[in-house]
Amino acid sequence: NTMILKPYLTRVGDSDVETDEFATVEGARLASSRPWEIRADIREGPSGDYLEVLYDSFDDKDYLPDKDRLYHLDFREAKSPTLWLNSDHEKITRVLDSRGSRGPEARMRDVFFDQISQSVWTQLLVRAATDIDEEGVSRYEWEEGVLNRFIDQIYPEIEKKEARRKLSRDIRSAEELPEIMERIDGALQDRLESHKHMTKVIEEALDD
């Protein structure tokens, strides 16, 4: 994107000087400069639902984990969490950034995202569940979005508002935690349909 900028200096009020040699009235142009051309390059990055997705090197960053990690879900800004992808894993990030819809790279990309998504969705759901109040309402907009997306699959037999309150109770209960984590895992498997992406990778590999 390109923008042409030409500055002008104008008078903001009338001058008290009585002369015909100078621009004395409000709004009069006093000076200008040559035009400047400003160019802005938009850097595209991966997009995500309910959170910002960014690349960065994990090497020697206080806010990021060990440099060998592939990704990190950052809740420091709870209102707007960030998913960091480790740009040091260049071969992996190249696949994650691929835009094609066919071929082995596209198939690998889908499987890679499934693996990351399974963990990230789980963390988002658990975090959202801990913020549900007694009325079944969450604190942040992204939490509402996450719960609306999955609550019917986690508790298909319960009315939505009560299901939210039950999720909040179950996630804090040592006795109920194993079952609720199994329900969450099942809901994610149903939604992500990872088996389809894995099957396509296998079929293309065998065809070769």
Side-chain angles (χ1 to χ4, degrees):
N1 295 331
T2 302
M3 178 176 62
I4 304 299
L5 178 65
K6 185 172 183 177
Y8 291 97
L9 178 64
T10 60
R11 188 177 294 280
V12 297
D14 294 339
S15 173
D16 295 333
V17 178
E18 296 183 1
T19 176
D20 294 331
E21 298 181 6
F22 303 102
T24 58
V25 298
E26 179 181 351
R29 185 185 301 176
L30 303 178
S32 64
S33 75
R34 62 185 179 83
W36 290 81
E37 182 177 287
I38 301 176
R39 298 179 180 179
D41 294 327
I42 300 175
R43 181 178 180 181
E44 295 185 357
S47 60
D49 293 324
Y50 314 117
L51 75 166
E52 189 172 13
V53 184
L54 299 173
Y55 287 128
D56 198 358
S57 169
F58 281 24
D59 189 18
D60 196 27
K61 296 288 196 313
D62 293 338
Y63 57 91
L64 293 172
D66 185 87
K67 63 181 181 180
D68 290 332
R69 299 277 184 89
L70 176 59
Y71 60 91
H72 172 65
L73 190 53
D74 184 359
F75 287 102
R76 288 177 302 160
E77 184 62 44
K79 185 177 180 180
S80 180
T82 300
L83 174 62
W84 295 97
L85 297 174
N86 190 349
S87 60
D88 294 330
H89 296 295
E90 296 180 3
K91 292 182 179 180
I92 297 175
T93 55
R94 177 175 55 81
V95 171
L96 292 175
D97 258 353
S98 64
R99 296 290 184 261
S101 59
R102 301 173 63 86
E105 196 166 77
R107 303 305 179 207
M108 285 190 294
R109 177 200 60 214
D110 293 341
V111 172
F112 287 179
F113 270 122
D114 285 344
Q115 179 181 352
I116 296 172
S117 296
Q118 188 82 18
S119 170
V120 169
W121 279 121
T122 299
Q123 293 183 64
L124 291 174
L125 274 165
V126 170
R127 183 64 66 109
T130 61
D131 267 348
I132 297 173
D133 63 20
E134 295 180 357
E135 298 300 320
V137 179
S138 298
R139 183 180 307 178
Y140 303 116
E141 184 177 349
W142 71 263
E143 294 175 333
E144 285 291 310
V146 170
L147 292 171
N148 287 337
R149 185 166 185 158
F150 291 104
I151 197 66
D152 289 340
Q153 290 173 285
I154 296 174
Y155 295 114
E157 71 282 2
I158 303 176
E159 184 270 331
K160 184 172 294 188
K161 190 172 183 178
E162 177 56 32
R164 284 171 170 239
R165 289 194 288 255
K166 180 172 173 53
L167 176 61
S168 178
R169 294 193 301 269
D170 289 351
I171 211 75
R172 292 178 169 85
S173 169
E175 294 181 355
E176 300 296 335
L177 184 59
E179 180 181 348
I180 187 55
M181 294 307 298
E182 183 179 349
R183 283 176 176 263
I184 290 175
D185 184 75
L188 291 174
Q189 287 196 51
D190 291 342
R191 178 59 66 93
L192 295 174
E193 296 185 325
S194 303
H195 64 283
K196 292 183 178 180
H197 298 149
M198 293 179 181
T199 300
K200 289 180 180 179
V201 170
I202 294 170
E203 289 173 349
E204 290 199 3
L206 292 178
D207 287 343
D208 293 340

